[in-house]
Amino acid sequence: MKLVYPRPAGKLVRWAWLLAIAIAPASAATSYTISLANPDEHLVEVQIVLPQGSTQRELQLPVWNALYQIRDFAQYVNWIRAKDRAGQPLSVLKLNKSRWRVNGVQEGAIVEYQMFVNSPGPFGAELNSHHAFFNLAQLLMYPLDARNLPLNLHFSHVPAGWRIATPLHSHDETFVADNYDRAVDSPVEIGDFHESDFDEGGAHYKVVVDAEPADFDMAKIAAMLHKIVAAATTWMQDRPFDSYMFLYHFPRGPAGGGMEHAYSTAIAVSADALAKSPEELASVTAHEFFHLWNVKRIRPQTLEPIDFTEENYTRALWFSEGCTSTAADFIRLRGGLLDERHFEEDLAADIGELQRRPAHLTQSTEESSLDAWLEGYAYYRRPERSLSYYNKGELLGITLDLAVREASHGRASLREVFQWMNQNYAKQGRFFPDSSGVREAVEAVSHADFGWFFTKYVAGTEEVPWNDFFRGVGLRLVASTTTVADAGFLASRNFDAPMAVTAVTKGGSAELAGLQTGDTILEINGHAPELESSEATAQLNPGETITVKIRGRRGGERVLKWEMASREEISYRLKDVEKVSAEQRARRAAWLKGEAENPTGTRPN
């Protein structure tokens, strides 16, 4: 697999037909050329070479990708045109906001269009004078009748000194994929990036970093990755790839999140956050790496096939995302990247986050999964409106693990659940039927009825009796009331949108200073905001001054200042029960390794 290679500047050429013929038979492959000739204006030009076929062909640009949000990438298409192989114009008819029909293409055709791409981060597509990063589904239209056929991809006008990194295979200077879905599941980084590689457990790993050299330590990143990939592949007793790419962005500005792919992951962490909390990089990396099993291969039936024209609704994100976080914690524990004290502190903090969201009493995790498509809306993210399937899903993964241990007398755990699903679904080329498929796996490895768990806590909104689950490992959850700083407002931002104020305390200092619901937060205490306002305000104490730069709902920028108030908040911590028994200690030791106490005989059927 040729992942990275130097590319000189090129030209958008008329030889696309010759390229298509050289790479694959014209009847078999659709060929794409992406031109990077205009980085300063964030414009790409895409050329599609359609082989011989039907008289009419329809082309679709996806309406969503990477995030469970309809983002209508067609909004960025400036123009589209087509011509036959002799260069004569062909008719292009727009059918809806994201689909076009080209007529007279029985002998093949060339379709060209221009797009604006300036959405940074692992969920976007971006071209500027610094680099290019593409989630290809946000750029490439696909012929409806050729989505499952091979395609070729070439990049032209690549600036001198820039290289290309992608998990796609290459033939000479052109990348190839078996079909459209495989191509768009392969992110592309183009620029003067930093790179490294290593081998572990029979596989080859490529590390690509787009960042200032002073902002990261490649040796430390590689050491972290060694531990994660070794722990994860050992935990799953599986490695469904020969090579894998980690693609990192560490910009000096707001950034966050990761996007999983079958043979790679793209992750963004701000340089400031990386310096303050380097452990966060291991956390998001372990999560995204484990997705190569859970989501990319252990996959809900409701997400297949991907419908690029509308939402794919699923009730299983609590498992696919939340329990991936559970597994990531066990992987970090096994790899020595997380210790028992911090694991338990993080777990207690996650419980506090859930309990402080009133919506945990009104929205189930299955409903939260279905409502993922609303996460782009600021009001939906309010704590009284929704809970996070990441947050509660991770906690359900912990409690499910503990319940499986109890029911099986220590002979099985969440690890065996994942291994069973890998063996009976992923490796059989099958997709699991959402929550009922998870329950099937749980009951198969525990030999117990788990209908109560799924009815109460997955499909239902009953309060989780935490101590009933923690007792088996000799722990109890203790609540206490503490005084914390109160900024007087709540604000959050979507990954590709500015931070919006969603609530302001009536009569509070923020309201008196002039802050209103709907205002845009530009800075908090001189720094660009991350995803949640609480990330910045949590560092302040009651009585300290907060400075917020905003753009009002009617336009115009202002700087507001006020003193932080205070409020009472319930916090949680995990403590030993009185007189921890030897049996509880043994189970806790196995729990912290993410494995059963007696793993013999618990291999997947």
Side-chain angles (χ1 to χ4, degrees):
M1 182 181 294
K2 193 175 182 181
L3 298 177
V4 181
Y5 66 91
R7 274 284 293 139
K11 296 180 180 180
L12 187 58
V13 293
R14 292 173 294 178
W15 41 251
W17 287 105
L18 297 176
L19 177 63
I21 293 171
I23 301 303
S27 60
T30 302
S31 294
Y32 294 83
T33 298
I34 299 176
S35 169
L36 310 187
N38 204 343
D40 291 335
E41 295 185 41
H42 316 293
L43 295 174
V44 299
E45 291 189 11
V46 180
Q47 181 187 79
I48 307 175
V49 179
L50 299 174
Q52 297 175 356
S54 303
T55 301
Q56 293 182 338
R57 306 287 296 277
E58 292 186 6
L59 298 171
Q60 174 73 44
L61 185 65
V63 303
W64 71 279
N65 171 255
L67 295 171
Y68 294 109
Q69 295 173 23
I70 298 296
R71 293 192 280 166
D72 287 323
F73 306 118
Q75 66 181 294
Y76 301 116
V77 176
N78 290 331
W79 50 259
I80 179 171
R81 60 189 177 223
K83 56 187 176 183
D84 64 20
R85 61 192 307 171
Q88 295 301 308
L90 295 174
S91 169
V92 180
L93 176 66
K94 189 166 189 174
L95 302 177
N96 60 38
K97 61 185 178 180
S98 300
R99 184 175 295 184
W100 294 261
R101 178 187 295 151
V102 185
N103 295 307
V105 297
Q106 62 274 12
E107 297 301 323
I110 299 176
V111 179
E112 299 170 325
Y113 56 95
Q114 184 188 73
M115 289 189 70
F116 175 81
V117 289
N118 192 34
S119 178
F123 313 108
E126 179 181 42
L127 171 64
N128 55 37
S129 59
H130 168 69
H131 80 146
F133 174 78
F134 299 139
N135 280 302
L136 292 173
Q138 299 173 27
L139 295 180
L140 302 184
M141 300 179 186
Y142 61 90
L144 266 63
D145 58 353
R147 178 172 165 181
N148 294 320
L149 297 179
L151 63 82
N152 307 315
L153 175 63
H154 177 76
F155 297 93
S156 73
H157 288 79
V158 177
W162 285 19
R163 292 158 291 144
I164 301 175
T166 176
L168 284 172
H169 290 276
S170 67
H171 178 90
D172 293 331
E173 295 182 351
T174 299
F175 297 94
V176 296
D178 293 338
N179 52 57
Y180 180 85
D181 287 36
R182 173 71 181 89
V184 300
D185 191 32
S186 305
V188 181
E189 173 71 23
I190 308 177
D192 184 20
F193 46 76
H194 308 271
E195 59 183 297
S196 181
D197 60 356
F198 64 92
D199 295 316
E200 174 65 49
H204 185 71
Y205 297 87
K206 175 72 69 174
V207 187
V208 173
V209 178
D210 177 67
E212 293 295 329
D215 292 338
F216 71 98
D217 186 324
M218 184 69 88
K220 289 183 178 179
I221 292 174
M224 171 199 73
L225 291 176
H226 266 287
K227 295 176 181 179
I228 288 174
V229 302
T233 53
T234 302
W235 197 67
M236 285 298 290
Q237 298 178 354
D238 183 43
R239 178 177 52 76
F241 57 85
D242 293 320
S243 58
Y244 189 92
M245 173 178 286
F246 293 93
L247 202 164
Y248 291 109
H249 292 168
F250 304 135
R252 293 180 177 178
M259 183 62 208
E260 71 275 1
H261 300 279
Y263 298 95
S264 63
T265 182
I267 293 171
V269 177
S270 73
D272 186 53
L274 182 63
K276 291 180 179 178
S277 304
E279 67 277 4
E280 287 303 311
L281 184 62
S283 177
V284 66
T285 298
H287 178 102
E288 300 305 330
F289 186 68
F290 191 74
H291 267 320
L292 72 89
W293 289 284
N294 197 29
V295 169
K296 300 310 297 185
R297 292 169 176 85
I298 302 172
R299 190 164 177 83
Q301 178 63 70
T302 41
L303 291 182
E304 286 293 326
I306 296 174
D307 189 338
F308 287 119
T309 68
E310 62 182 11
E311 298 91 337
N312 273 82
Y313 289 105
T314 179
R315 297 179 184 273
L317 293 183
W318 69 271
F319 179 77
S320 295
E321 292 289 356
C323 290
T324 293
S325 293
T326 311
D329 284 345
F330 290 138
I331 289 165
R332 288 194 295 149
L333 282 163
R334 292 174 66 86
L337 297 167
L338 181 65
D339 60 30
E340 178 180 358
R341 179 174 67 85
H342 287 97
F343 169 68
E344 292 175 3
E345 287 177 354
D346 291 346
L347 180 53
D350 288 340
I351 292 172
E353 179 184 337
L354 175 67
Q355 296 298 122
R356 287 190 290 272
R357 293 189 76 88
H360 82 275
L361 298 172
T362 57
Q363 185 187 51
S364 72
T365 48
E366 286 192 329
E367 292 170 337
S368 176
S369 298
L370 286 173
D371 286 345
W373 298 92
L374 299 175
E375 289 177 337
Y377 301 105
Y379 185 85
Y380 175 78
R381 299 194 295 269
R382 290 172 61 143
E384 69 272 18
R385 172 62 183 90
S386 66
L387 58 84
S388 167
Y389 51 80
Y390 283 92
N391 169 242
K392 189 174 181 182
E394 180 176 7
L395 294 171
L396 288 181
I398 290 289
T399 52
L400 191 59
D401 175 63
L402 294 171
V404 167
R405 293 172 186 276
E406 183 70 22
S408 67
H409 305 289
R411 290 189 293 270
S413 68
L414 186 65
R415 176 189 190 183
E416 283 66 42
V417 173
F418 276 119
Q419 289 182 353
W420 190 96
M421 295 183 77
N422 194 41
Q423 184 67 34
N424 290 276
Y425 284 107
K427 292 187 175 183
Q428 304 302 318
R430 300 168 55 221
F431 305 112
F432 70 90
D434 286 24
S435 297
S436 63
V438 182
R439 177 181 171 184
E440 175 193 19
V442 168
E443 294 181 345
V445 303
S446 67
H447 304 289
D449 179 11
F450 267 76
W452 60 274
F453 185 95
F454 286 81
T455 298
K456 289 180 178 180
Y457 312 126
V458 176
T461 59
E462 288 196 26
E463 290 275 20
V464 178
W466 304 107
N467 285 332
D468 289 352
F469 293 99
F470 289 129
R471 189 175 299 112
V473 289
L475 293 171
R476 60 190 176 97
L477 189 70
V478 178
S480 60
T481 301
T482 57
T483 300
V484 298
D486 184 2
F489 75 99
L490 292 175
S492 63
R493 71 175 181 88
N494 200 16
F495 286 103
D496 58 353
M499 177 174 282
V501 177
T502 58
V504 180
T505 303
K506 189 172 180 60
S509 298
E511 184 184 62
L512 294 176
L515 190 67
Q516 297 181 333
T517 300
D519 286 346
T520 297
I521 303 290
L522 304 176
E523 293 180 358
I524 299 178
N525 284 348
H527 298 283
E530 298 291 341
L531 292 178
E532 302 289 336
S533 60
S534 58
E535 294 178 285
T537 60
Q539 310 302 318
L540 300 176
N541 298 311
E544 291 184 349
T545 298
I546 182 172
T547 303
V548 180
K549 184 177 181 180
I550 69 164
R551 181 182 298 114
R553 291 176 297 176
R554 296 179 177 82
E557 296 182 3
R558 292 184 294 158
V559 175
L560 309 178
K561 294 184 179 182
W562 66 90
E563 286 189 0
M564 297 284 286
S566 63
R567 59 182 170 83
E568 299 298 302
E569 181 177 275
I570 297 178
S571 61
Y572 298 88
R573 56 195 176 111
L574 285 165
K575 297 182 63 176
D576 285 351
V577 298
E578 292 185 13
K579 297 181 180 179
V580 180
S581 68
E583 181 182 2
Q584 288 171 319
R585 291 190 186 281
R587 183 160 296 175
R588 189 189 303 183
W591 180 51
L592 293 172
K593 293 179 181 178
E595 59 188 35
E597 292 168 71
N598 175 26
T600 303
T602 60
R603 301 289 179 86
N605 294 331

